Amino acid sequence: MIRTSFNDGWQVRPKVNPFAELSGHVVPFRPVTLPHDALIEQQRVAPDGEVTMEGAAGAYFPGGVFEYRKTFSVPEEYRGKRIFMEFEGVYRDATVYINGDYAGQRPYGYSHFRIDADRFLRFGEDNEIRVEARAHRDSRWYTGAGIYRDTWLLVGEVVRIAPDGVQVTTPDIDGSRAVVEVEAEVANDSIEVRTVDVVTEIRDGSGAVVASDVSKLTLLPGEPATARQRLYVPSPALWSPESPTLYECHVALRDIDEEKVAFGIRSLQLDPERGLRINGEPVKLRGACVHHDNGILGAATYARAEERRVEILKDAGFNAIRISHQPMSKAMLDACDRLGMLVVDEAFDVWTSGKSEFDYSLNFPEWWERDIEAMVAKDYNHPSVIMYSIGNEIPETGSPFGAAWGRRLAGKVRSLDPTRYVTNAVNGMLAVMSELGALQQQALEQAAEDGAGINTLMADAGDAMNAVSASELVTERTAESFAVLDVAGMNYAEARYALDRDLFPNRIILGTETFPTRIDGNWRLVGQYGHVIGDFTWTGWDYLGEVGIGRPQYLTETEDGPQHAHNAPYPYLVAGCGDIDITGHRRPASYYREIVFGLRAEPYIAVRRPEHHGKTWAGSPWAWSDSVSSWTWPGFEGRPVTVEVYSDADEVELLGNGNSFGRRPVGAEHRFRTEFEIVYVPGELVAVAYREGVETGRTSLPWANGPVRLTAETDRQVIRASGGDLAYVTLTLTDAVGTCHTGTDRPVSLEVSGAGELIGFGSADPSTDERFDATERRTYEGRALAVLRPTAVGKIRLTATAPGCDPVEVVVTAEQQPQSRHYQEG
């Protein structure tokens, strides 16, 4: 089928009661280009009184109902063809009308779906499509709202290759050849028997045909049929995270239709001794849990935004993403294929037991099969996908009925795709929530016997969660739910890793969600045990909503123990627990993790904010220390400061302006970190790492000295004028040699002209009431980020100004890319 972008020419407004409109209350539509997040444009609301879960969960954005419409013409020559509208994602409860008539719906906000449109269309004249979407206390994180992913118009003949109808597998691989099995589903909506030639070609990265086949396929009236072909690729180049080689499979119905899909040739193996193997080589998953929002763009899913996240995550040392807790976008899957990032794709955050007042649990019993089918159909040809997760922290997993649901879901996934593994991210504490009180009482009694009190017991909530997860009760209640899986996904339960090696010798474990503050111990366990195949931190990339779970917290004089308040008050905006902030800037935890993974030899310096020196830390297990990689602290000259140094060496030496503060042990036995208590004196810090007395690397941290300058740097000078491409412009306050002025923030104003528009402008400030759709934002730690979307071929010019700084300008060129018959941009 011919696939054309359907993203242009839309309008949006808050949905209005039609009876209210009759009385004169008219809300105008305004033009938008998809993808579009209607929620990120709303005014955040400060709650009255106590922090509400739904307000904090959604970053204090209000819910709403939004109405999209588009007028489009359908040429007369389309009469008699099959026409579909495809939506890659609408959040949530999407209802679609064409020319005023109900055409279809999709309750789940993360599934792609198609509307069979031709019966509703008027050929040779204008048509109207209308889509309603709503978001209202239905999630535990910021979801956005509206048509936030791409849309497509699909046009084909009555005999055609079905959408998502080409599936490629590589069941047999050796050094001399790879078997490539291709299944192509062909539809016949005519009233005739038709026989077609199915021509299949496998092409390598250069476009050369490396294997081909032709077979006949007879189609009965009104019935689909599947062509199955077995091809042989000589001397195959295998896909892996280190070498993500892709092939293309072209399937054509001669003189009728064609489809092409990218795929990779790779094998997967799994056992409790050698763990996960890709192409026969053991792989430990260095994983990042990632929510779906794109920071300052909200939920809008642009192809470049997804690609940029994968690039930065991979550069930071991750080799796997667990998309949490919903199916990954097609654009991110494509990026993972190209860049070599492994994927655990997750279906649901809820089954039958709701976690929010109006969440997907209300739709799950009726829709789960169709949503599983949509996820697998989307993922099937992507070599990056190695595992499906059927759920996250599902409370039902601790009951027999929940285990039965798990068996049903896992069986459905395997029936659709037997080539990948199935997991479920189980939280042992939630699985026995109804009996948690009894467990807590037992723990208190034991603590009393040991001479400890409640504050000692709860000093680390992670310890408490692990204690419950390793209990006999959780062992018994989750055994059946784990038994239906290929991989036992465990959230915050590393205490089970060694335990289950003896209790369940055939159980293979994946740390599907872990505290960032525990990566050193967790990674040691991953390396120690063959049956533990990886670790996924919460989170690799910071996100909107669940505000403040990773924020710095300190005890006050009236508090005698950690408070661990889960959510922060308005105007907190982000969770604050990501290795990488919402603008894509790596935080100290990211470099620490890279060192723990064994991927960085140089030491790293982070400095705790001096205004909190001497206070007692009370952050949650998701909270990294309140540190910044900066030696610029105006106003704190001569005052004490704590310097953290991370390294895998034996010891590190800290130098300040050439003066040594001594050497301290570091490395694995000291959790890869040490601290120096010194006085802040402007100049330069240098950390030198030593192994067996020999220097192995050094890092310097200079102060920003002199007048503040504003700089602007784009990630790319040339971008595509269509296809979801974007330009990211980083705005930084620096000194004359480029050192960031982290302590001298100021407002930055933007003007954009030419062949593009500003679609997002913000910073990583975790607590702010500034908007992302404004043209002026204050920097945070000396940085801000602007995102430009091309609107035509040509030059996009951005001019930035800040008080006391000379204006700066960035020019980006948007170029048109060639189109094919099969795939057309709007």
Coordinates of all heavy atoms in Angstrom, one line a residue, residues 310-368:
V310 N 18.2 7.7 22.2 CA 19.0 6.5 22.0 C 20.4 6.7 21.9 O 21.3 6.1 22.5 CB 18.4 5.6 20.9 CG1 19.2 4.4 20.7 CG2 16.9 5.3 21.1
E311 N 20.8 7.7 21.1 CA 22.2 8.1 20.9 C 22.9 8.4 22.2 O 24.0 8.0 22.6 CB 22.3 9.3 19.9 CG 22.1 9.0 18.5 CD 22.1 10.2 17.6 OE1 22.1 11.4 18.2 OE2 22.1 10.1 16.4
I312 N 22.2 9.3 23.0 CA 22.8 9.8 24.3 C 22.9 8.6 25.3 O 23.9 8.5 26.0 CB 22.0 11.0 24.8 CG1 22.2 12.2 23.9 CG2 22.5 11.3 26.2 CD1 21.3 13.3 24.2
L313 N 21.8 7.8 25.3 CA 21.9 6.7 26.3 C 23.0 5.7 25.9 O 23.7 5.2 26.8 CB 20.5 6.0 26.2 CG 19.4 6.7 27.0 CD1 18.0 6.1 26.5 CD2 19.5 6.6 28.5
K314 N 23.2 5.4 24.6 CA 24.2 4.5 24.2 C 25.6 5.1 24.5 O 26.5 4.4 25.0 CB 24.1 4.2 22.8 CG 25.2 3.1 22.4 CD 24.8 2.3 21.2 CE 25.8 1.1 21.0 NZ 25.4 0.3 19.9
D315 N 25.8 6.4 24.3 CA 27.1 7.1 24.6 C 27.3 7.0 26.1 O 28.5 7.1 26.5 CB 27.0 8.5 24.1 CG 27.1 8.6 22.6 OD1 27.5 7.6 22.0 OD2 26.8 9.7 22.1
A316 N 26.3 7.0 26.9 CA 26.5 6.9 28.4 C 26.7 5.5 28.9 O 26.9 5.4 30.1 CB 25.2 7.5 29.0
G317 N 26.8 4.5 28.0 CA 27.2 3.2 28.4 C 26.1 2.2 28.5 O 26.3 1.0 28.7
F318 N 24.8 2.6 28.2 CA 23.7 1.6 28.2 C 23.7 0.8 26.9 O 24.1 1.4 25.9 CB 22.4 2.3 28.4 CG 22.2 3.0 29.7 CD1 22.2 4.4 29.8 CD2 21.9 2.2 30.8 CE1 22.0 5.0 31.0 CE2 21.7 2.9 32.1 CZ 21.8 4.2 32.2
N319 N 23.4 -0.5 27.0 CA 23.2 -1.2 25.8 C 21.8 -1.8 25.6 O 21.5 -2.5 24.7 CB 24.2 -2.4 25.7 CG 24.0 -3.5 26.7 OD1 23.1 -3.4 27.6 ND2 24.8 -4.5 26.7
A320 N 20.9 -1.4 26.6 CA 19.5 -1.9 26.5 C 18.5 -0.8 27.1 O 18.9 -0.1 28.1 CB 19.4 -3.2 27.3
I321 N 17.3 -0.8 26.6 CA 16.3 0.1 27.1 C 15.1 -0.8 27.4 O 14.6 -1.7 26.6 CB 15.8 1.1 26.0 CG1 17.0 2.1 25.8 CG2 14.6 1.8 26.4 CD1 16.7 3.1 24.7
R322 N 14.5 -0.6 28.6 CA 13.2 -1.1 28.9 C 12.2 0.0 28.9 O 12.3 0.9 29.7 CB 13.2 -1.8 30.3 CG 11.8 -2.2 30.8 CD 11.8 -2.6 32.2 NE 10.5 -2.8 32.7 CZ 10.1 -2.3 33.9 NH1 10.9 -1.6 34.7 NH2 8.8 -2.5 34.3
I323 N 11.4 0.1 27.9 CA 10.4 1.2 27.8 C 9.4 1.0 28.8 O 8.8 -0.1 29.0 CB 9.9 1.3 26.4 CG1 9.2 2.7 26.1 CG2 8.9 0.2 26.0 CD1 10.3 3.8 26.0
S324 N 9.1 2.0 29.6 CA 8.3 1.8 30.9 C 7.2 2.8 31.0 O 7.5 4.0 31.0 CB 9.3 2.0 32.1 OG 10.5 1.3 31.9
H325 N 6.0 2.4 31.1 CA 5.5 1.0 31.1 C 4.5 0.9 30.0 O 3.3 0.7 30.3 CB 4.9 0.6 32.5 CG 5.8 1.0 33.6 ND1 7.0 0.3 33.9 CD2 5.8 2.0 34.5 CE1 7.6 0.8 34.9 NE2 6.9 1.9 35.3
Q326 N 4.9 0.9 28.8 CA 4.0 0.9 27.6 C 4.8 0.6 26.4 O 6.0 0.7 26.4 CB 3.4 2.3 27.5 CG 4.4 3.5 27.2 CD 5.1 4.0 28.4 OE1 4.4 4.2 29.4 NE2 6.4 4.2 28.3
P327 N 4.2 0.2 25.3 CA 4.9 -0.2 24.1 C 5.7 1.0 23.5 O 5.2 2.1 23.5 CB 3.8 -0.6 23.1 CG 2.7 -1.1 24.0 CD 2.7 -0.2 25.2
M328 N 6.9 0.7 23.0 CA 7.8 1.7 22.5 C 7.3 2.2 21.1 O 6.6 1.5 20.4 CB 9.2 1.0 22.3 CG 10.2 2.0 21.8 SD 11.9 1.1 21.6 CE 12.4 1.2 23.3
S329 N 7.6 3.4 20.8 CA 7.2 4.0 19.5 C 8.0 3.3 18.4 O 9.1 2.8 18.6 CB 7.5 5.5 19.5 OG 8.9 5.8 19.5
K330 N 7.4 3.4 17.2 CA 8.0 2.9 16.0 C 9.3 3.6 15.7 O 10.3 3.0 15.3 CB 7.1 2.9 14.8 CG 5.9 2.0 14.9 CD 5.1 2.1 13.7 CE 3.9 1.2 13.7 NZ 3.1 1.2 12.5
A331 N 9.3 4.9 16.0 CA 10.5 5.7 15.7 C 11.7 5.3 16.6 O 12.8 5.3 16.2 CB 10.2 7.2 15.9
M332 N 11.4 5.1 17.9 CA 12.5 4.7 18.8 C 13.0 3.3 18.4 O 14.2 3.0 18.5 CB 12.0 4.7 20.2 CG 13.1 4.4 21.2 SD 12.8 4.7 22.9 CE 13.3 6.4 23.1
L333 N 12.1 2.4 18.0 CA 12.5 1.0 17.6 C 13.4 1.1 16.4 O 14.5 0.4 16.3 CB 11.3 0.2 17.2 CG 10.5 -0.4 18.4 CD1 9.2 -1.0 17.9 CD2 11.3 -1.4 19.2
D334 N 13.1 2.0 15.4 CA 14.0 2.2 14.3 C 15.3 2.7 14.7 O 16.4 2.2 14.2 CB 13.3 3.2 13.3 CG 12.1 2.6 12.6 OD1 12.0 1.4 12.5 OD2 11.3 3.4 12.0
A335 N 15.4 3.6 15.6 CA 16.6 4.1 16.1 C 17.4 3.0 16.8 O 18.7 3.0 16.7 CB 16.4 5.3 17.0
C336 N 16.8 2.2 17.6 CA 17.5 1.1 18.3 C 18.1 0.1 17.4 O 19.2 -0.4 17.6 CB 16.5 0.5 19.3 SG 16.1 1.5 20.7
D337 N 17.3 -0.2 16.3 CA 17.9 -1.0 15.2 C 19.1 -0.5 14.6 O 20.2 -1.1 14.5 CB 16.8 -1.2 14.1 CG 15.7 -2.1 14.5 OD1 15.8 -2.8 15.6 OD2 14.7 -2.2 13.8
R338 N 19.1 0.8 14.2 CA 20.2 1.4 13.5 C 21.4 1.6 14.4 O 22.6 1.5 14.0 CB 19.8 2.8 13.0 CG 18.8 2.8 11.9 CD 18.7 4.2 11.2 NE 18.4 5.2 12.2 CZ 17.2 5.6 12.5 NH1 16.1 5.0 12.0 NH2 17.0 6.6 13.4
L339 N 21.2 1.9 15.7 CA 22.3 2.3 16.6 C 22.8 1.1 17.5 O 23.8 1.3 18.1 CB 21.8 3.4 17.5 CG 21.5 4.7 16.8 CD1 20.8 5.7 17.7 CD2 22.7 5.4 16.1
G340 N 22.0 0.0 17.5 CA 22.5 -1.1 18.3 C 22.1 -1.1 19.7 O 23.0 -1.3 20.6
M341 N 20.9 -0.8 20.0 CA 20.4 -0.7 21.4 C 19.3 -1.9 21.6 O 18.4 -2.0 20.8 CB 19.7 0.6 21.7 CG 19.2 0.7 23.1 SD 20.5 0.9 24.3 CE 21.0 2.6 24.2
L342 N 19.5 -2.7 22.5 CA 18.6 -3.8 22.8 C 17.3 -3.3 23.5 O 17.4 -2.3 24.2 CB 19.3 -4.9 23.7 CG 20.5 -5.5 23.1 CD1 21.3 -6.4 24.1 CD2 20.2 -6.3 21.8
V343 N 16.2 -4.0 23.3 CA 14.9 -3.5 23.8 C 14.2 -4.6 24.5 O 14.0 -5.7 24.0 CB 14.1 -3.0 22.6 CG1 12.7 -2.6 23.0 CG2 14.7 -1.8 21.9
V344 N 13.7 -4.2 25.7 CA 12.6 -4.9 26.4 C 11.4 -4.1 26.2 O 11.2 -3.0 26.8 CB 12.9 -5.2 27.8 CG1 11.8 -5.9 28.5 CG2 14.2 -6.0 28.0
D345 N 10.4 -4.6 25.4 CA 9.2 -3.8 25.1 C 8.1 -4.2 26.1 O 7.9 -5.4 26.2 CB 8.8 -3.9 23.7 CG 8.0 -2.7 23.2 OD1 7.9 -1.7 23.9 OD2 7.5 -2.7 22.0
E346 N 7.4 -3.3 26.7 CA 6.5 -3.6 27.8 C 5.1 -3.3 27.4 O 4.8 -2.2 26.8 CB 6.9 -2.8 29.0 CG 6.2 -3.3 30.3 CD 7.1 -2.9 31.5 OE1 7.0 -1.8 31.9 OE2 7.8 -3.8 32.0
A347 N 4.2 -4.2 27.7 CA 2.8 -4.0 27.3 C 2.0 -3.1 28.2 O 1.4 -2.1 27.7 CB 2.1 -5.4 27.2
F348 N 1.9 -3.4 29.5 CA 1.0 -2.7 30.4 C 1.6 -2.4 31.7 O 2.4 -3.1 32.2 CB -0.3 -3.6 30.6 CG -0.9 -4.2 29.4 CD1 -0.9 -5.5 29.1 CD2 -1.5 -3.3 28.4 CE1 -1.5 -6.1 28.0 CE2 -2.1 -3.8 27.3 CZ -2.1 -5.2 27.0
D349 N 1.0 -1.4 32.4 CA 1.3 -1.1 33.8 C 0.2 -1.6 34.7 O 0.3 -1.7 35.9 CB 1.4 0.4 34.0 CG 1.8 0.8 35.4 OD1 2.8 0.2 35.8 OD2 1.2 1.6 36.0
V350 N -1.0 -1.9 34.1 CA -2.1 -2.5 34.9 C -2.8 -3.6 34.1 O -2.7 -3.6 32.8 CB -3.2 -1.4 35.3 CG1 -2.6 -0.4 36.2 CG2 -3.7 -0.7 34.0
W351 N -3.3 -4.6 34.8 CA -4.2 -5.6 34.2 C -5.6 -5.3 34.7 O -6.3 -4.3 34.3 CB -3.8 -7.0 34.5 CG -2.4 -7.4 33.9 CD1 -1.7 -6.7 33.0 CD2 -1.7 -8.6 34.3 NE1 -0.5 -7.4 32.7 CE2 -0.5 -8.5 33.5 CE3 -1.9 -9.6 35.1 CZ2 0.5 -9.6 33.6 CZ3 -0.9 -10.6 35.2 CH2 0.2 -10.6 34.4
T352 N -6.1 -6.1 35.6 CA -7.5 -6.0 36.2 C -7.5 -5.1 37.4 O -8.6 -4.7 37.8 CB -8.1 -7.3 36.4 OG1 -7.2 -8.0 37.4 CG2 -8.1 -8.2 35.2
S353 N -6.4 -4.9 38.1 CA -6.4 -4.1 39.3 C -5.9 -2.7 39.0 O -4.7 -2.5 38.6 CB -5.5 -4.8 40.4 OG -5.4 -4.1 41.6
G354 N -6.7 -1.7 39.2 CA -6.3 -0.3 38.9 C -5.4 0.3 39.8 O -5.3 -0.1 41.0
K355 N -4.5 1.2 39.3 CA -3.6 1.9 40.1 C -4.0 3.4 40.2 O -3.5 4.2 41.0 CB -2.2 1.8 39.6 CG -1.7 0.4 39.6 CD -0.3 0.3 39.0 CE 0.3 -1.2 39.1 NZ 1.6 -1.3 38.4
S356 N -4.8 3.9 39.2 CA -5.3 5.2 39.2 C -6.9 5.1 39.0 O -7.4 4.1 38.6 CB -4.7 6.1 38.1 OG -3.3 6.1 38.2
E357 N -7.6 6.2 39.3 CA -9.0 6.1 39.3 C -9.6 5.7 38.0 O -10.6 4.9 38.0 CB -9.6 7.5 39.7 CG -9.4 7.9 41.2 CD -8.1 8.7 41.4 OE1 -7.1 8.5 40.6 OE2 -8.1 9.5 42.3
F358 N -9.1 6.1 36.9 CA -9.7 5.9 35.6 C -8.7 5.3 34.6 O -8.7 5.7 33.4 CB -10.3 7.2 35.0 CG -11.3 7.9 36.0 CD1 -10.9 9.0 36.7 CD2 -12.5 7.3 36.1 CE1 -11.8 9.6 37.6 CE2 -13.4 7.9 37.0 CZ -13.1 9.1 37.7
D359 N -7.9 4.4 35.0 CA -6.8 3.9 34.2 C -7.3 2.7 33.3 O -8.4 2.4 33.2 CB -5.6 3.5 35.0 CG -5.8 2.4 36.0 OD1 -6.8 1.6 35.8 OD2 -5.0 2.2 36.9
Y360 N -6.3 2.1 32.6 CA -6.6 1.1 31.6 C -7.2 -0.2 32.1 O -7.7 -1.0 31.4 CB -5.3 0.8 30.8 CG -5.4 -0.3 29.8 CD1 -6.0 0.0 28.6 CD2 -4.8 -1.5 30.0 CE1 -6.1 -1.0 27.6 CE2 -4.9 -2.5 29.0 CZ -5.5 -2.2 27.8 OH -5.6 -3.2 26.8
S361 N -7.1 -0.4 33.5 CA -7.7 -1.6 34.0 C -9.2 -1.6 33.7 O -9.8 -2.7 33.6 CB -7.6 -1.6 35.5 OG -8.2 -0.5 36.2
L362 N -9.9 -0.5 33.4 CA -11.3 -0.5 33.1 C -11.5 -1.1 31.7 O -12.6 -1.5 31.3 CB -11.8 1.0 33.1 CG -11.7 1.7 34.5 CD1 -12.1 3.1 34.4 CD2 -12.5 0.9 35.5
N363 N -10.4 -1.1 30.8 CA -10.6 -1.6 29.5 C -9.8 -2.9 29.2 O -10.1 -3.6 28.2 CB -10.0 -0.5 28.5 CG -10.6 0.9 28.7 OD1 -9.9 1.7 29.2 ND2 -11.8 1.0 28.3
F364 N -8.9 -3.2 30.1 CA -8.1 -4.4 29.9 C -8.8 -5.7 29.6 O -8.4 -6.4 28.6 CB -7.2 -4.6 31.2 CG -6.3 -5.8 31.1 CD1 -5.1 -5.8 30.5 CD2 -6.8 -7.0 31.7 CE1 -4.3 -6.9 30.5 CE2 -6.0 -8.1 31.7 CZ -4.7 -8.1 31.1
P365 N -9.8 -6.1 30.3 CA -10.4 -7.4 30.0 C -10.9 -7.5 28.6 O -10.9 -8.6 28.0 CB -11.6 -7.5 31.0 CG -11.1 -6.6 32.2 CD -10.4 -5.5 31.5
E366 N -11.4 -6.4 28.0 CA -12.0 -6.5 26.7 C -10.9 -6.2 25.6 O -11.0 -6.8 24.5 CB -13.1 -5.4 26.5 CG -13.7 -5.4 25.1 CD -14.8 -4.3 25.0 OE1 -15.1 -3.7 26.0 OE2 -15.3 -4.1 23.9
W367 N -9.9 -5.5 25.9 CA -9.0 -5.0 24.8 C -7.6 -5.6 24.9 O -6.8 -5.4 24.0 CB -8.8 -3.5 24.9 CG -10.0 -2.8 24.4 CD1 -11.2 -2.4 25.0 CD2 -10.3 -2.3 23.0 NE1 -12.1 -1.8 24.2 CE2 -11.5 -1.7 22.9 CE3 -9.5 -2.4 21.8 CZ2 -12.0 -1.2 21.8 CZ3 -10.0 -1.9 20.7 CH2 -11.3 -1.3 20.6
W368 N -7.2 -6.3 25.9 CA -5.8 -6.7 26.1 C -5.3 -7.5 24.9 O -4.1 -7.3 24.5 CB -5.6 -7.5 27.4 CG -6.2 -8.9 27.4 CD1 -7.4 -9.3 27.8 CD2 -5.5 -10.1 27.0 NE1 -7.5 -10.7 27.6 CE2 -6.4 -11.2 27.1 CE3 -4.2 -10.4 26.5 CZ2 -6.1 -12.5 26.8 CZ3 -3.9 -11.7 26.1 CH2 -4.8 -12.7 26.3

